[in-house]
Amino acid sequence: MSEISLDLRDRRASFRGLEDRIFDLLVIGAGITGTGVARDAALRGLSVALVDANDFGSGTSSRSSKLIHGGLRYLAQGEVAVVREAATERRVLRRIAPHLTLTNPMVMPAQSKAGITSMRAAMWTFEKLAKVDKPERHEVWDRKRLQKEEPTIKADGLAGAVVYPEYVTDDGRLVLANAVSAVQAGARVATYAPVTEIILENGRVSGAVVQSSLPGDENGARIRARLVINAAGPWVDHLRLLEDDQAKNKLQLTKGIHLVFNHDRLPISRTVVMRTSDRRGAFIVPHGRFIYTGTTDTFYPEPEYWPEITREDVDYLLEPVNRTFNIEPITHDDIVSIWSGIRPLLGQEGKKPSEISRRDEAFDGPGGLISIAGGKLTSYRSMAERLVDSCEKKLGEKHVPSKTAEQKLPGGDFPGSFDELQTRVEKLGFEPEEARRVAQLYGGQVLDIFAGAKGPAVEAAYAVLHEGALTLEDYWVRRSARARFDDEGGLAALEPAAGAMADLLGWTEQETIRQIESCREKREFEMRAIKK
Ligand code: FAD
């Protein structure tokens, strides 16, 4: 049917495939960092194994703000290198995955003419660093123009705004596209395969042991590799302890949450930057029928897939929304869904969460385990390229240049513009908003997938047969994004999707009910902080 094909149903074959050779690289963790590294290395011809304790992107990488952005605010912190890399990478991602980098203008309101002048100075530096083309450069709106373009913004006391383009992605699908591409280039993968042991021979790391975490599945593998990369995001320090039980923590974890509302409650056309009560920047992003706002930044003690969301987190984000816009106040009752994620930042003593650098770093453990942490979704590709360059050297392999800046990601190849793709999808009988949703998620694959029928059952079957989904949550949260951007968190999609998956994955009726219940419980957990 399509170039994408990642069918992970045969668990025995997946685990066996991890044992039949000594790999050049074993990558632990299939978030954006791990899948980016696996793809880069596999495309250069290295043999690669990639494993994850859960699903692709189930850690931080499906819980970000979904912005492919240059990180203008980091300029004020003197992080020129971080900004240069992120700003430049936006352009690369737009080329290799146009469906996952949709233009998303940012409106930064300013209270005074002096405020506009200083924002413009920052913008000029940013545009120079990022080599931004003329049509993509910033504009300045006076108050009148701001009122005309975004009439819901309270314009009293504002001098105007600076507006510039950034991009919005679907982070879970960006990870998946990298995983699929890695497999197409020859990488072996297993999900729901946590590393339980790092193998050391004569004090040197030579592989890892994985054990299936799916109920009733006894599969496991002893994977051998010349280099082992720890890309476990917030769990990086946990993996380091498996190599060296004396290893000191390197990471400082911070949590960020996002709230989703219906777009008609706050009909903005562009992302708007707001000031929080403690003078941080927050934003509100239009996303089809919905809008979302984020994010918080607070220390969090331990990595978790479902970090706790508190009422303070929710109220902290509602306050600037209701202060910035001229609307009937948004309350807890308006919240459609919530998500929270953990940033795996490199620790910096004495700094506030939002002041900690977003730079990435790779470091070797005493037995040679290579850990990589920090960074941003936006710069994952160049971070992977740098890491694989250094792995080639360690392996003594001839340098093969990275191909990831040129080779399109799965779904990224389609004729014409994204808007034209959306129009073609509409001709299949989709409403414009729904056409946009599926065109963004599936890119160039979309017309094949929905040629016959549409809806959750079709999407879920495709997720199993071509996108490596093994649980209902894999489909609901990370393949379809319905958990975030659908009415009532996509609860109505669970039954038809589970029905389609049950046939393909051989679930009993009891197992099908368990899968549905597990998703419902997760939603209840996320919505617990809301007063009803
Ligand atoms: P993860 O995605 O967490 O991947 C690590 C993987 O390791 C997980 O899948 C986990 O299951 C696996 N793992 C853990 N233990 C084991 C084990 N024992 N065995 C095997 N596998 C294991 N960046 C941007 O560029 N733009 C943004 O808008 C943005 N917004 C953000 C907003 C928030 C709230 C947060 C938290 C982050 C944001 N970021 C953003 C940063 C970005 O999301 C992260 O830098 C990035 O996702 C980290 O990816 P990762 O692959 O390193 O970690």
Side-chain angles (χ1 to χ4, degrees):
M1 176 190 217
S2 68
E3 65 180 83
I4 298 184
S5 200
L6 180 54
D7 180 349
L8 295 180
R9 284 177 296 165
D10 187 343
R11 297 283 285 167
R12 196 150 165 257
S14 297
F15 282 82
R16 279 206 172 157
L18 296 172
E19 284 192 318
D20 70 358
R21 67 176 74 167
I22 298 176
F23 290 94
D24 292 323
L25 300 186
L26 163 60
V27 183
I28 303 171
I32 195 64
T33 307
T35 56
V37 169
R39 172 180 197 242
D40 189 303
L43 283 172
R44 294 193 206 196
L46 295 175
S47 61
V48 179
L50 169 68
V51 295
D52 198 280
N54 240 277
D55 183 29
F56 304 111
S58 56
T60 307
S61 299
S62 57
R63 294 154 175 285
S64 77
S65 303
K66 308 183 191 303
L67 300 176
I68 298 298
H69 67 135
L72 189 60
R73 84 172 173 89
Y74 307 128
L75 266 188
Q77 296 170 357
E79 300 267 12
V80 176
V82 171
V83 175
R84 181 186 291 119
E85 185 174 46
T88 312
E89 277 303 301
R90 297 181 314 164
R91 194 203 277 254
V92 177
L93 289 184
R94 212 155 150 64
R95 189 165 64 229
I96 63 170
H99 60 308
L100 291 173
T101 40
L102 301 185
T103 307
N104 170 41
M106 288 243 179
V107 179
M108 295 191 296
Q111 282 173 339
S112 61
K113 290 237 162 72
I116 292 186
T117 308
S118 81
M119 276 185 202
R120 293 200 80 178
M123 282 309 315
W124 280 316
T125 312
F126 177 79
E127 286 164 355
K128 212 165 155 201
L129 283 175
K131 301 193 180 80
V132 174
D133 294 333
K134 252 198 177 146
E136 298 249 295
R137 293 198 192 146
H138 74 277
E139 284 182 60
V140 175
W141 291 352
D142 60 15
R143 186 167 66 188
K144 219 164 141 205
R145 174 98 190 265
L146 178 62
Q147 275 172 321
K148 183 169 161 270
E149 300 278 355
E150 294 293 351
T152 48
I153 295 181
K154 277 183 193 159
D156 292 350
L158 293 181
V162 173
V163 185
Y164 73 106
E166 293 274 24
Y167 307 105
V168 69
T169 192
D170 182 293
D171 47 6
R173 301 279 319 178
L174 185 63
V175 175
L176 183 66
N178 276 278
V180 170
S181 173
V183 170
Q184 285 168 349
R188 301 278 171 87
V189 302
T191 53
Y192 295 96
V195 165
T196 54
E197 185 188 330
I198 296 284
I199 304 169
L200 287 157
E201 283 170 29
N202 303 322
R204 299 301 300 165
V205 171
S206 64
V209 175
V210 289
Q211 192 62 48
S212 171
S213 61
L214 289 179
D217 177 2
E218 300 290 311
N219 282 295
R222 215 177 153 75
I223 312 168
R224 289 171 308 148
R226 295 166 70 199
L227 290 177
V228 179
I229 294 168
N230 168 13
W235 293 269
V236 153
D237 283 334
H238 288 198
L239 265 295
R240 290 174 59 235
L241 285 172
L242 295 182
E243 179 205 26
D244 169 17
D245 60 11
Q246 303 299 311
K248 295 236 167 22
N249 279 358
K250 280 267 202 182
L251 297 192
Q252 217 162 3
L253 307 179
T254 78
K255 183 186 74 172
I257 78 148
H258 293 82
L259 308 174
V260 181
F261 320 106
N262 282 314
H263 186 242
D264 54 15
R265 279 298 274 112
L266 179 37
I268 43 171
S269 317
R270 302 163 186 83
T271 292
V272 177
V273 179
M274 307 173 294
R275 280 268 153 241
T276 57
S277 51
D278 55 351
R279 303 207 53 73
R280 287 180 53 245
F283 44 78
I284 186 146
V285 186
H287 193 280
R289 288 195 291 126
F290 301 95
I291 48 169
Y292 63 93
T293 183
T295 174
T296 57
D297 202 351
T298 49
F299 287 122
Y300 204 72
E302 279 295 314
E304 272 174 303
Y305 289 96
W306 300 87
E308 184 89 48
I309 297 164
T310 65
R311 187 170 293 188
E312 290 76 54
D313 294 330
V314 173
D315 291 340
Y316 173 88
L317 286 180
L318 286 181
E319 190 276 330
V321 175
N322 287 325
R323 181 164 34 82
T324 307
F325 297 95
N326 231 332
I327 46 166
E328 187 66 23
I330 289 194
T331 69
H332 287 210
D333 290 335
D334 292 303
I335 296 171
V336 174
S337 68
I338 312 185
W339 75 85
S340 78
I342 308 242
R343 299 177 186 86
L345 304 178
L346 292 158
Q348 286 182 299
E349 285 281 315
K351 293 215 166 178
K352 286 189 197 158
S354 56
E355 290 167 0
I356 300 175
S357 168
R358 267 49 176 171
R359 78 194 155 86
D360 60 84
E361 190 184 319
F363 39 94
D364 294 356
L369 179 71
I370 303 165
S371 296
I372 175 145
K376 302 205 53 71
L377 192 80
T378 306
S379 8
Y380 85 91
R381 196 212 57 82
S382 49
M383 174 166 93
E385 179 175 338
R386 281 186 270 116
L387 186 73
V388 179
D389 281 350
S390 77
C391 288
E392 274 181 336
K393 282 198 192 124
K394 285 187 175 141
L395 289 168
E397 296 285 341
K398 198 172 137 262
H399 173 59
V400 177
S402 171
K403 299 187 169 73
T404 55
E406 300 307 326
Q407 190 145 330
K408 296 218 165 179
L409 279 165
D413 210 4
F414 49 85
S417 67
F418 180 81
D419 289 343
E420 286 162 359
L421 180 66
Q422 180 184 331
T423 307
R424 289 200 289 278
V425 179
E426 285 171 29
K427 289 189 182 138
L428 295 177
F430 284 83
E431 292 296 326
E433 286 298 357
E434 186 60 4
R436 195 166 180 79
R437 181 185 88 87
V438 291
Q440 184 188 14
L441 296 183
Y442 300 98
Q445 316 293 322
V446 68
L447 298 170
D448 284 342
I449 300 170
F450 300 105
K454 55 179 191 269
V458 175
E459 295 170 7
Y462 187 81
V464 173
L465 295 174
H466 301 279
E467 299 179 337
L470 293 174
T471 72
L472 184 58
E473 181 199 309
D474 296 352
Y475 161 72
W476 174 61
V477 179
R478 293 170 292 277
R479 305 298 184 283
S480 70
R482 286 187 187 272
R484 313 295 181 217
F485 303 109
D486 199 353
D487 303 320
E488 287 189 63
L491 288 179
L494 291 178
E495 278 195 26
M501 294 181 82
D503 289 343
L504 295 167
L505 287 155
W507 292 341
T508 59
E509 200 182 324
Q510 204 185 4
E511 177 59 14
T512 312
I513 293 169
R514 194 189 69 78
Q515 293 279 340
I516 295 173
E517 274 315 304
S518 159
C519 292
R520 288 207 173 118
E521 278 165 21
K522 278 161 187 151
R523 170 153 172 98
E524 270 166 35
F525 176 80
E526 287 190 323
M527 299 294 276
R528 227 166 45 180
I530 295 177
K531 34 177 182 211
K532 284 281 173 196

